[in-house]
Amino acid sequence: MTDPAPDSSSGPLAGTLVVDLTRALAGPHAAMMLADLGARVVKVETPDGGDDTRGWGPPFVDSPDGPVSTYFLSCNRNKESVTADLKSSSGKALLERLVERADVLLENFRPGVLDRLGFSVELLHALNPRLVILSISGFGHDGPEGGRPGYDQIAQGEGGLMSLTGSGPDDPQRVGVPIGDLLAGMYGAYGVLAALHERTRTGRGQVVRTSLLAAIVGVHAFQGTPVHGGRRDRACAGQPPPVDLPVRALPLRGRGGPAQHRQRGPVAAVLRGVRDRPGRRRAGVERLPGGAP
């Protein structure tokens, strides 16, 4: 756990207290974004080792509390940490005291777990009507999929992102970072900021919900609108964007041999058209061996 930034009191969220009950990546990433904006974030961890990601390595780095994984450090910057067993009376009492003072509470338990621990939304708002609650799940908070645990690679597959990644229709690939977790954290922090702003008008907090699956679907952009607007199925596309040529990976001459890409001709024609456009600056445009610009 890194120390809060020395100048955090000058950030836009200075004076905001965030209670972070989350673990793994999506929730901690959201909390870290709020911490980076100046909020005081208190991370509540289990007494028996804390957040599981402390041990997700190698690599590890040394700390006063022993080796800690760089995975954990990547999403827990600028936070303070306490331990509490939320199933015990003392742990529940500690959380109640934090909630009474807090502006924001973050949790990413499976839907229903926080209720079973005795901290339903109704109780949390009874303790503090101004509390903003961010809840992140894997596949939504209700419906037939609501109780499923969330794993990034599953969300990427079921959300259709893998079909848009890779070299082509027969090569779906997982994005190299847990993008569903990261996006859910970003959407969650975005929602928290909106709820805090609305609280200045209403005087009351509210619940913000997002999920890994929703976050993936939320970035489909123009790859999703043909389905929802044009009402036609889309096959796996891989890397080549259907409307944005020449935006794609292209092998270059001198890097593993001559380029033998099927789109090389059309791409060269597009680039020549840009180069030869009237009024276009030509500085820095070179002609490569083989005729390509």
Side-chain angles (χ1 to χ4, degrees):
M1 186 72 63
T2 59
D3 293 329
D7 61 347
S8 62
S9 60
S10 63
L13 292 184
T16 302
L17 176 60
V18 177
V19 177
D20 179 12
L21 302 182
T22 67
R23 68 271 186 231
L25 184 54
H29 188 75
M32 183 179 69
M33 292 180 67
L34 300 176
D36 288 347
L37 292 173
R40 180 188 179 192
V41 177
V42 177
K43 184 178 178 73
V44 180
E45 301 186 65
T46 60
D48 55 347
D51 190 324
D52 289 342
T53 62
R54 286 181 177 270
W56 287 9
F60 295 95
V61 297
D62 291 330
S63 77
D65 299 321
V68 61
S69 74
T70 56
Y71 189 114
F72 175 85
L73 295 176
S74 74
C75 53
N76 286 287
R77 178 174 61 241
N78 293 336
K79 301 180 186 180
E80 303 168 55
S81 179
V82 298
T83 59
D85 179 0
L86 298 184
K87 296 180 181 179
S88 70
S89 57
S90 61
K92 292 178 186 293
L94 173 63
L95 181 55
E96 287 180 3
R97 292 196 299 272
L98 287 171
V99 166
E100 288 171 348
R101 298 171 49 199
D103 296 284
V104 182
L105 179 140
L106 283 67
E107 65 93 8
N108 63 349
F109 296 109
R110 288 174 64 178
V113 170
L114 198 59
D115 289 40
R116 292 195 292 273
L117 289 171
F119 291 96
S120 64
V121 169
E122 293 75 19
L123 175 64
L124 291 171
H125 277 155
L127 291 169
N128 183 352
R130 292 175 56 82
L131 185 69
V132 172
I133 303 167
L134 170 61
S135 183
I136 301 177
S137 65
F139 297 92
H141 289 76
D142 50 22
E145 305 294 309
R148 293 175 61 193
Y151 297 99
D152 177 85
Q153 60 268 36
I154 297 176
Q156 286 195 37
E158 294 192 13
L161 186 61
M162 289 176 63
S163 71
L164 305 175
T165 311
S167 61
D170 299 321
D171 183 35
Q173 293 287 331
R174 174 183 177 274
V175 176
V177 295
I179 194 67
D181 284 303
L182 296 172
L183 287 170
M186 294 170 67
Y187 278 125
Y190 178 66
V192 165
L193 295 178
L196 287 172
H197 179 70
E198 184 172 353
R199 192 181 69 176
T200 64
R201 180 174 57 84
T202 65
R204 298 188 63 85
Q206 59 181 289
V207 179
V208 177
R209 289 177 171 174
T210 189
S211 68
L212 273 62
L213 183 64
I216 293 291
V217 174
V219 294
H220 278 176
F222 61 84
Q223 299 281 15
T225 47
V227 177
H228 300 291
R231 296 186 179 182
R232 65 184 182 88
D233 294 334
R234 289 190 56 78
C236 294
Q239 276 193 13
V243 297
D244 277 356
L245 286 173
V247 180
R248 65 183 301 171
L250 294 170
L252 299 177
R253 188 178 299 276
R255 302 269 182 128
Q260 296 293 332
H261 200 283
R262 64 184 179 88
Q263 288 291 347
R264 181 171 174 271
V267 169
V270 170
L271 294 177
R272 279 194 294 271
V274 171
R275 182 198 64 195
D276 296 335
R277 185 182 304 159
R280 176 73 177 177
R281 289 185 60 192
R282 300 196 180 194
V285 177
E286 298 179 346
R287 182 168 295 278
L288 301 179

